[in-house]
Amino acid sequence: MNEKQSKLNKYTAYISLGILTVTMLPLIYCSFFDRATGDDLGYSAAVHRIMLRHGSLREIISSMADLIVHFRKYYQGTWSSLILFQLQPGIWGEKVYMITPWIAVACIMGGSFVFSDYLLRKKLGLDRYSFLTVYSLIMILSIQFLPTVRGGLFWWTSVSHYIIPYGIALCCFTWSMKWLDTGKIRYLVLQTIGMIHLGGGGYPEVVLAAAWYFFLALAVILKIYESDETKRLRYLAIPFICEMAGFAVSATAPGNSKRGGEGFGFSVGRVISTVFTSFKDTFKSIFDNFISVRPTAFVLLILILILISAEISHRISLK
């Protein structure tokens, strides 16, 4: 890469990071006024009462377990989400709740950085400044164009059910690639822990993680994904099975049928049908949403794809 191109990439990266920083300022300002509402208060009430009377950690854990059992029986089975619901930041003080959007942004930006840095820089070979430009645009797209900013950033119940698992999922995806590439046991352990949590969390991340492991395995088998040791692939069954086990505990909860109504049921056929329907509805929803409300998102997405494609093509031409 010549010096002129290098300087252009550097300035483009700085400008992109600057725009990202400016777009974050309103969110930072609003975070100082964020307070617990609705389900935040209901789920965490028992733990908060124990803390007010200076109860022991054992009492808190026991109370949390009792609520999970109760909700699994009468309402829903997402056990790992229920753990986080009860630990909403407001139980440590009304104003402490303001860290909710910071946690949400950390999960989105942190998870995305870990994943995209390894995929785009390590695997695809983007240089540092090209990567920072692409990353900044992805973050603007991910944060500023959330379907619901309140639920995605400012409401703990939603953040802990969807956004935190999203960040964990992206980290698990990265660790799965690092395991294939290095064989270091810590990456297998970390992704297994993460996948256990995803199994009891929001269903979108369950499907997302399962799809990732399926397509990653397919890529390795078809030699699309280059790995030094393809035999390591078999060990990815461990985190996948752990996620499915956690999901089974969640999906078979009696409370799901009470919440879902008479037509609710669980079977392999319904799971397959639900997965395919979710993909169809997701693509339709994304298209309708961005066309009617946020067409700028498509411009950013196209720009990201052009930048990645141009950088990869440039590197191939140098070989």
Side-chain angles (χ1 to χ4, degrees), residues 214-232:
F214 171 78
F215 287 114
L216 179 61
L218 193 63
V220 173
I221 293 171
L222 297 177
K223 307 297 183 182
I224 299 172
Y225 183 97
E226 296 181 3
S227 177
D228 296 334
E229 295 286 344
T230 54
K231 64 182 181 181
R232 294 172 187 154

Side-chain angles (χ1 to χ4, degrees), residues 12 28-29 32 46 107 121 127 150 160-161 170 175 180 195 219 223-224 230 253 271 279 304 317-318:
T12 303
I28 294 173
Y29 176 76
F32 295 108
C107 288
R121 294 192 66 192
D127 69 85
R150 176 184 179 273
S160 57
H161 195 51
L170 290 175
W175 294 327
L180 290 174
M195 291 290 277
K223 307 297 183 182
I224 299 172
T230 54
V271 169
F279 277 108
I304 291 168
S317 67
L318 292 178

Side-chain angles (χ1 to χ4, degrees), residues 242-318:
C242 286
E243 185 202 29
M244 291 298 102
F247 174 64
V249 173
S250 176
T252 57
N256 291 333
S257 60
K258 293 181 174 62
R259 184 180 184 182
E262 295 180 359
F264 183 86
F266 182 80
S267 66
V268 175
R270 289 195 179 202
V271 169
I272 295 174
S273 175
T274 300
V275 169
F276 280 103
T277 302
S278 68
F279 277 108
K280 182 188 71 175
D281 291 345
T282 296
F283 285 122
K284 184 179 184 302
S285 176
I286 290 173
F287 181 80
D288 292 343
N289 188 34
F290 286 141
I291 284 295
S292 62
V293 182
R294 302 174 175 88
T296 308
F298 279 120
V299 177
L300 290 176
L301 183 58
I302 292 171
L303 182 58
I304 291 168
L305 294 175
I306 291 174
L307 284 169
I308 294 175
S309 177
E311 182 65 23
I312 293 175
S313 298
H314 174 71
R315 292 192 172 276
I316 291 175
S317 67
L318 292 178

Side-chain angles (χ1 to χ4, degrees), residues 83-105:
I83 292 174
L84 294 180
F85 289 170
Q86 299 178 74
L87 298 176
Q88 63 93 356
I91 62 176
W92 285 279
E94 182 182 13
K95 293 184 178 181
V96 178
Y97 192 86
M98 62 165 281
I99 69 172
T100 296
W102 293 78
I103 292 174
V105 168

Side-chain angles (χ1 to χ4, degrees), residues 10 12 15 27 31 40 47 109 187 202 234 250-251 260 280-281 294:
K10 182 186 295 187
T12 303
I15 292 171
L27 297 176
S31 70
D40 291 332
V47 171
M109 297 187 69
Y187 296 128
R234 72 187 70 170
S250 176
K280 182 188 71 175
D281 291 345
R294 302 174 175 88

